[in-house]
C-alpha cells in the first residue's frame, strides 16, 4: 500500500519528511521550493488516489506558478500544524 492511497498516511509521511528536513537544518525557503517541486512532480506523474488528492490536482492544474507555490506552502503548514 502506497502512502498516496490514504490521505492521513500521506499527511503523516509529509510531516515526518518535514521534521527530518528541519532537523537537518533545511531553511524554510528550501522546504518551500522542495514542496513546490513535489507538487509539480505529483501533478505531472502520479494519478490521484483519493478524493483529497483529486481536489489538489485540479487546483494545481488551474493555478498559475505563484498560486502553485501557495498551495505547496499551505500543504507544508497543514502538516506542520498537525505535527
Amino acid at each position: 500500500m502506497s502512502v498516496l492511497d490514504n490521505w492521513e498516511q500521506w499527511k503523516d509521511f509529509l510531516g515526518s519528511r518535514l521534521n527530518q528536513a528541519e532537523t537537518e537544518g533545511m531553511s524554510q525557503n528550501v522546504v518551500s521550493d522542495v514542496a513546490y517541486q513535489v507538487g509539480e512532480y505529483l501533478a505531472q506523474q502520479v494519478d490521484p488516489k483519493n478524493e483529497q488528492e483529486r481536489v489538489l490536482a485540479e487546483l494545481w492544474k488551474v493555478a498559475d506558478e505563484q498560486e502553485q507555490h501557495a498551495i505547496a506552502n499551505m500543504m507544508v503548514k497543514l502538516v506542520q500544524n498537525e505535527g
Side-chain angles (χ1 to χ4, degrees):
M1 180 179 195
S2 167
V3 296
L4 294 173
D5 291 336
N6 178 287
W7 180 248
E8 292 303 318
Q9 287 179 336
W10 173 237
K11 289 190 309 183
D12 289 344
F13 174 79
L14 288 177
S16 67
R17 298 293 82 76
L18 179 61
N19 288 337
Q20 181 181 7
E22 290 172 344
T23 299
E24 293 179 7
M26 195 176 287
S27 74
Q28 189 63 37
N29 287 339
V30 173
V31 168
S32 178
D33 287 343
V34 170
Y36 171 78
Q37 291 171 12
V38 169
E40 187 68 13
Y41 172 81
L42 291 173
Q44 292 180 11
Q45 303 293 329
V46 178
D47 291 328
K49 303 284 192 247
N50 55 57
E51 184 176 324
Q52 296 89 340
E53 290 173 11
R54 279 189 284 285
V55 169
L56 282 173
E58 291 298 316
L59 289 172
W60 195 272
K61 286 179 191 175
V62 299
D64 62 29
E65 186 175 342
Q66 182 178 2
E67 293 165 330
Q68 290 171 343
H69 278 277
I71 293 168
N73 287 331
M74 287 185 286
M75 284 300 299
V76 168
K77 283 184 176 183
L78 178 67
V79 299
Q80 282 175 329
N81 288 338
E82 291 188 7

